[in-house]
Amino acid sequence: MNPRPTPPAVTRRGLRCWSPRPEARIRLICLPHAGGGASAFRAWDPLMPTGTELHVAQYPGREDRYGEPLITDMDTLVAHLADAVAPLTDRAYALFGHSMGSAVAWELAHALIDRRLPPPQRLFVSGRRAPDRAPTGDVHLRDDAGLGDELGRLGGTPGELLADPDVRAAVLRQVRGDYRLIETYRPPARAPLPCPVDLFTGDRDPEVGPEDLAGWAESTTHRARVRVFPGGHFYLVPARREVVAALAGALGTTATTAAGPWPSTP
């Protein structure tokens, strides 16, 4: 349990920000994994440098947007997110996406550029091959048991959540919708992005290893850099301090080491 109250997030249609920082030099906008919500990045907020303002996408159909219909195709989701992010491009910004969120972040960067808005200062992609190299799948067509097995394989969902029938139904609904989105997604040909792309992965990720990230080099006019962290597909949970420090270094800021209010949701 969290002994101290967690401050509420400032909400913008599609985004959550727990610590608004009007003087911050740059905004970091995070795109969650399949089945994930904004709370997946809540524990990053106390670690953010004062010069970085954290925003996290809250996809429809989960957490405080549970009553909204899920979006199950990439174009619709990216248009929705671009509407939310566009006002934030008045300041330098970077995008970070994990797993499915990596493809969403890549598409979002192009959508913002297509709107003649400033490009991101950097794109960080994590736990996924380049869009044109990622394999398709049929996980979204499996029954609930098969979908649960996939979550167990990746290790990102606490077993106690899936043990509760009501929570399990909600989780599988969200995961199935997101898997439908990413498994039916067919990326178009895109020009390279005019910003650096940084590639993060866990050294024991069953989905993607460092050698699988080479395709991202073609997505940028700059050099693509690889950073490997200890852990599996969800390495960024136990290694959150190291990940935030790496992000801060790439963005030219310094991550804090002071312990702030610690949320109960990882």
Side-chain angles (χ1 to χ4, degrees), residues 69-125:
L70 294 168
I71 293 177
T72 58
D73 72 275
M74 181 69 81
D75 289 346
T76 303
L77 179 61
V78 170
H80 174 82
L81 293 171
D83 288 343
V85 171
L88 302 183
T89 63
D90 62 337
R91 196 183 308 173
Y93 71 97
L95 302 174
F96 177 97
H98 178 63
S99 197
M100 179 189 85
S102 292
V104 176
W106 181 75
E107 286 284 356
L108 179 58
H110 283 286
L112 294 170
I113 292 170
D114 289 346
R115 295 186 184 200
R116 301 187 182 278
L117 294 169
Q121 188 175 97
R122 299 187 91 91
L123 171 65
F124 298 94
V125 294

Side-chain angles (χ1 to χ4, degrees), residues 46-69:
L47 305 177
M48 279 291 139
T50 56
T52 304
E53 184 178 73
L54 178 67
H55 294 260
V56 184
Q58 185 73 294
Y59 305 144
R62 66 216 66 204
E63 297 182 0
D64 58 342
R65 301 186 69 186
Y66 182 79
E68 299 180 40

